[in-house]
Amino acid sequence: MSDRRRINGPAATTSPPVFAPYPQTATPLRQRVRKPNELRRIFLQTGIIPSASGSAYLELESPPEPRPFLVPTSSTIKLSCSVHGPKPLPRTASFSPNVQLTASVKFAPFATRVRQGYVPNQTEKDLGLHLENALRGVLLPDRWPKSAIDVAVTVLEGEDDQEEGDRFAGLGLFNLLAAAINVAMAALADARIDCLDLLAAGVGAVIPGPDSKPLRVLDPAAVEHSEIQSSCVVGYLSSRDEIVEMWSSGSISTQNANAPTGFDELVGAAVAAARGAQTVIKEALLESMTRSQITVKKTAQGEMNDVEMNT
């Protein structure tokens, strides 16, 4: 008679499973094939959420993988943003002469390799704070007294920060913030909310170049570079030539005075990346406007055809 209070092992001997080790190479898994001043292609579309006042979806191009691995790394960013408002505040709220802006960033449970929880973590809070500060610099707060605007960004897929898979700790965090600012600006424009300018964000970095000389690159992907000396993300207003948000990390080398690796050059690289992203935002908004005008014309022609004149 077997003992029911114990979990009996198998009768025969078994061998433990043996897993293939993760490839640890000295070179990054993906080599950068783009030029230092070349940006990744951006897909941006507005009006994806009918129930929201404005919405947008943004996706960055993923670099091609040279060879398959058991655990492939991701360098794609996919974000969706919805804007609700301007909407009146509750009757119990005190009078506010300016609009109250609330911005939040939330990871989907499947956005990372490690499943995300429902309680906001510190990374989401930091991203939401930087996003809110950037959007405050472009809105006209006195246009909507005692009103509120809610901006919600959902991260559908993030970007690997290193080839080992450590996410959202350095350059991957900066790329995610820049993408969140761009998709939020497109959603605000889709909601017909007046702004000072078309806000755009970009990332610049300094990496070891040929002969160990520092090299500036625009829109760097962490999986394309084995070492990042310094990086910076900015929120930029082109018509006003104004930076409304900045976040940098790393150190600037001062060994070679002639090398263009100063902080001003690093910020200039991020601004150049922001200008390129602004071009994509403009094209997406013009395409959305053209699509809406065609829809209105078709609706008007259909209504005219439905009317019958009796003589």
Side-chain angles (χ1 to χ4, degrees), residues 30-283:
R30 305 180 187 183
Q31 297 290 341
R32 182 184 176 108
V33 296
R34 296 178 289 130
K35 297 180 181 179
N37 59 347
E38 184 179 355
L39 306 180
R40 286 177 286 181
R41 289 186 293 181
I42 303 175
F43 173 80
L44 181 62
Q45 184 175 354
T46 59
I48 62 171
I49 303 177
S51 60
S53 303
S55 59
Y57 172 80
L58 183 142
E59 181 176 343
L60 282 179
E61 179 189 20
S62 178
E65 283 196 56
R67 54 188 182 275
F69 285 123
L70 293 177
V71 186
T73 57
S74 173
S75 184
T76 303
I77 293 179
K78 299 178 182 178
L79 302 175
S80 65
C81 178
S82 61
V83 175
H84 300 273
K87 56 185 179 180
L89 292 176
R91 295 179 179 271
T92 57
S94 59
F95 177 78
S96 175
N98 298 328
V99 65
Q100 295 186 6
L101 175 65
T102 303
S104 62
V105 178
K106 180 61 181 175
F107 292 105
F110 49 84
T112 62
R113 292 181 183 174
V114 179
R115 186 176 178 84
Q116 299 292 323
Y118 295 97
V119 179
N121 53 27
Q122 190 61 37
T123 302
E124 295 173 345
K125 294 179 182 179
D126 292 342
L127 288 174
L129 179 61
H130 285 278
L131 176 61
E132 185 174 338
N133 291 337
L135 296 180
R136 287 185 184 276
V138 71
L139 288 178
L140 299 173
D142 55 346
R143 290 287 182 91
W144 304 278
K146 201 177 181 181
S147 301
I149 297 177
D150 296 334
V151 179
V153 176
T154 303
V155 181
L156 303 176
E157 184 176 350
E159 184 180 64
D160 286 331
D161 189 59
Q162 296 175 356
E163 57 181 295
E164 288 83 2
D166 183 16
R167 290 178 179 267
F168 315 123
L171 186 59
L173 185 68
F174 286 1
N175 289 330
L176 193 60
L177 176 60
I181 293 175
N182 293 331
V183 72
M185 184 67 245
L188 287 175
D190 185 59
R192 309 298 193 269
I193 296 178
D194 297 338
C195 299
L196 293 173
D197 193 10
L198 199 61
L199 176 65
V203 181
V206 175
I207 62 173
D211 301 331
S212 301
K213 293 183 179 180
L215 177 65
R216 292 181 302 165
V217 294
L218 307 184
D219 189 22
V223 296
E224 294 179 337
H225 307 286
S226 58
E227 182 182 355
I228 302 293
Q229 295 180 354
S230 59
S231 56
C232 178
V233 56
V234 299
Y236 182 68
L237 303 177
S238 61
S239 64
R240 301 170 63 92
D241 195 17
E242 180 180 351
I243 295 177
V244 296
E245 178 63 22
M246 180 184 296
W247 194 2
S248 63
S249 67
S251 60
I252 303 297
S253 176
T254 58
Q255 296 179 0
N256 188 1
N258 297 326
T261 58
F263 184 74
D264 294 341
E265 287 76 11
L266 178 62
V267 175
V271 169
R275 290 180 180 272
Q278 188 187 47
T279 304
V280 178
I281 298 175
K282 288 182 179 179
E283 293 295 333

Side-chain angles (χ1 to χ4, degrees), residues 15-21:
S15 300
V18 179
F19 298 95

